[in-house]
Amino acid sequence: MLSNVRTSIIRQVDYLTSGTQLHFIRTKRKKAGSDKSEVRKLVTQLSVLSANRKQPKLLKFSNEDYVKHQVIQKSWNLYVRDKKAEEANILQKQYESIRAANEDLQSVSKELFSFANTREPSKRFPLELRVPTEYPPNQIWHHDYTPKVEKKK
Amino acid sequence: MLGYRSFSTSSVSLKVGCAMVKPVHHRVKVIKKLLSPRFPELKLSPTDPRSPKFRPEITHQDRVQEHIHNTLRSDLMLINYIHGEKPAEGLKRRQWDFTSPYHINRPARPPKGEKVPTPTIMPQSWKNVPGIEKVVVHSFVANCTSDPKLNIGVSLQLQQITGVKPQSVYAKTNLPSFGLRKGVKMGAKVELTGRDASQFLSTLTELVLPRITTFEGISNRAGSRYGTVSFGLKPEDVLYFPEIYYNQDAWAKRFGMDITIHTTAQLDREARQLLSGLGLPFVGTEREPKLTR
């Protein structure tokens, strides 16, 4: 992969009398495989990628532990299912109420109804909206930030 | 044998030479009696820690998904609700009228102005509120033709950033002017779902994108029309991923990446609305799709 060749320099010496002669100069010999730093780096990188490292050991459970695990798993699944159903229920209620509200609006004011039902394709959530964390920073955003105005020359 | 189905695999092989899968020696003992179809009661579910498929996935809170479900979804439904909206029929394949006997068994014509059928867009209801499906991070390195060792670095970079094992990507076509040959390994990609995708998205929006000085936002015109948004990071931007930033000596060579966010939104504008709620900024003019509504 890498060149371990001894570098020899061939120098052309031009003698006026004897014509062109080739002159060999020996440089310091590189030991075979001495420059392995790049190869070693690649090998390290490959070993990080290797599948062998990723296979964790099988967990050893006692029978009681298995039962515990199954109970927890089962109850977690139930919890997730209930949460999903609850969320769907809330969304459905919201949907029904906005539909009813729109039907009312349609009968009351056509103008307001069409205004409420225009599509806003470039509607975005504000950039200040953050994914909540348990430990938010002291200053959430720079509320008093004003962009620098460039001086006109 | 390029382009043909390999003998040992079901997928079309793009790879050079013979199909060789590097052996992973079996670290997990396979209990054969559990594999037998005769005793279905003995089958282990993937949630059972005795099963080799078991992965302890639910190890931490999924902030991004919780935010989507607690805050964004109801708003998204209300933003996109239009009263009395009808489904917008997509362009479908055109059948022959069978006036000629030759029409029998003739494949249907492609849709007008399209090559593949487009989906029918349903009106917004409480059942089709968009969510994140998966995130694909893809690094195609053009220099791999001359230096195949780069493939190792690309894969490792993706693995370190996302924590998921990368797959190699291979050149699909011959392009002699670029020195590209079909089947040559040209980089790597990872497909992130669930908690990995959430983790990647929050790293991106909280740590990486705010530090890129040249970043103004994702283009409003980027996307696949039907709910997939993609953008790219340059090698100098990749520096800001914490795995690389705090170990810069080890990452002398960095690689750019294309990030594709697949959502369950029906149209790109809905996908962008969802992603803006996660802190991804968008810039530029919007292109409204032509729908027959």
Side-chain angles (χ1 to χ4, degrees), chain B residues 5 17 24 31 80 96 101 148 155 174 187 192 207 214 250 272 282:
Chain B
R5 220 167 268 277
V24 175
I31 309 167
N80 287 308
W96 299 97
S155 301
N174 271 321
L192 309 170
L207 298 175
T214 54
R272 274 182 233 119
F282 287 89

Side-chain angles (χ1 to χ4, degrees), chain A residues 102 105 110-123, chain B residues 77-83 85 269 273 288 293:
Chain A
N102 264 298
L105 192 62
K110 286 268 186 240
E111 197 185 338
L112 282 178
F113 173 77
S114 68
F115 184 68
N117 279 293
T118 44
R119 195 178 281 292
E120 297 161 287
S122 50
K123 186 110 176 161
Chain B
M77 187 184 74
L78 298 183
I79 288 170
N80 287 308
Y81 177 81
I82 298 286
H83 192 67
E85 199 180 21
R269 63 155 184 259
Q273 279 160 4
E288 262 296 272
R293 249 184 186 141

Side-chain angles (χ1 to χ4, degrees), chain A residues 66 69 87 117 119 124, chain B residues 47 50 69 73 85 220:
Chain A
Y66 276 124
H69 177 86
E87 199 204 336
N117 279 293
R119 195 178 281 292
R124 300 277 181 268
Chain B
T47 56
R50 282 169 293 184
H69 283 265
R73 290 187 85 212
E85 199 180 21
N220 266 326

Side-chain angles (χ1 to χ4, degrees), chain B:
Chain B
M1 283 296 284
L2 283 177
Y4 292 94
R5 220 167 268 277
S6 297
F7 191 67
S8 56
T9 61
S10 58
S11 64
V12 175
S13 79
L14 283 169
K15 292 145 205 166
V16 186
C18 61
M20 204 192 83
V21 178
K22 277 190 184 167
V24 175
H25 295 289
H26 292 280
R27 291 297 183 91
V28 181
K29 228 179 188 180
V30 177
I31 309 167
K32 284 208 170 174
K33 70 181 174 192
L34 298 185
L35 297 178
S36 160
R38 283 186 299 163
F39 312 113
E41 308 84 49
L42 288 179
K43 280 242 154 56
L44 296 171
S45 89
T47 56
D48 193 318
R50 282 169 293 184
S51 160
K53 282 182 187 167
F54 177 72
R55 298 279 179 280
E57 274 165 1
I58 313 155
T59 50
H60 57 278
Q61 191 188 12
D62 194 342
R63 280 170 53 223
V64 173
Q65 280 301 326
E66 276 182 19
H67 177 58
I68 289 173
H69 283 265
N70 296 340
T71 313
L72 302 183
R73 290 187 85 212
S74 64
D75 284 0
L76 285 170
M77 187 184 74
L78 298 183
I79 288 170
N80 287 308
Y81 177 81
I82 298 286
H83 192 67
E85 199 180 21
K86 300 270 183 300
E89 284 294 325
L91 298 165
K92 303 297 172 197
R93 289 211 169 85
R94 291 170 292 172
Q95 287 296 339
W96 299 97
D97 55 0
F98 296 102
T99 49
S100 157
Y102 292 107
H103 287 168
I104 302 166
N105 289 338
R106 189 181 280 182
R109 280 189 295 168
K112 207 173 183 181
E114 298 277 345
K115 281 178 183 167
V116 286
T118 59
T120 299
I121 309 299
M122 301 304 282
Q124 183 70 62
S125 79
W126 54 276
K127 282 177 189 164
N128 57 4
V129 186
I132 301 278
E133 199 178 304
K134 66 174 177 180
V135 179
V136 180
V137 189
H138 185 285
S139 281
F140 182 92
V141 183
N143 292 346
C144 279
T145 46
S146 55
D147 189 2
K149 291 196 291 293
L150 292 177
N151 279 309
I152 301 169
V154 185
S155 301
L156 190 65
Q157 180 188 288
L158 285 183
Q159 184 183 297
Q160 293 297 89
I161 287 173
T162 61
V164 175
K165 184 168 173 134
Q167 301 157 261
S168 295
V169 292
Y170 299 89
K172 285 184 182 171
T173 47
N174 271 321
L175 271 176
S177 53
F178 291 116
L180 206 64
R181 280 174 294 118
K182 190 174 177 179
V184 176
K185 215 185 253 189
M186 293 301 290
K189 68 164 184 180
V190 280
E191 287 191 9
L192 309 170
T193 51
R195 268 148 224 270
D196 298 318
S198 301
Q199 179 62 54
F200 180 74
L201 280 177
S202 62
T203 314
L204 202 65
T205 52
E206 284 163 17
L207 298 175
V208 181
L209 296 182
R211 289 205 212 169
I212 301 172
T213 48
T214 54
F215 181 77
E216 286 175 353
I218 303 167
S219 169
N220 266 326
R221 300 192 144 218
S224 75
R225 298 194 284 172
Y226 302 108
T228 302
V229 172
S230 40
F231 60 100
L233 289 183
K234 293 199 177 80
E236 56 266 27
D237 305 338
V238 169
L239 170 73
Y240 298 114
F241 279 98
E243 292 84 0
I244 291 175
Y245 191 76
Y246 294 106
N247 194 9
Q248 287 183 35
D249 301 342
W251 295 101
K253 181 86 183 159
R254 290 185 289 272
F255 306 93
M257 49 175 69
D258 293 318
I259 297 159
T260 311
I261 305 170
H262 296 253
T263 66
T264 53
Q266 298 184 80
L267 291 168
D268 276 358
R269 63 155 184 259
E270 292 165 17
R272 274 182 233 119
Q273 279 160 4
L274 167 71
L275 295 177
S276 75
L278 302 180
L280 287 165
F282 287 89
V283 289
T285 51
E286 189 113 4
R287 191 160 32 185
E288 262 296 272
K290 280 179 198 161
L291 299 172
T292 51
R293 249 184 186 141

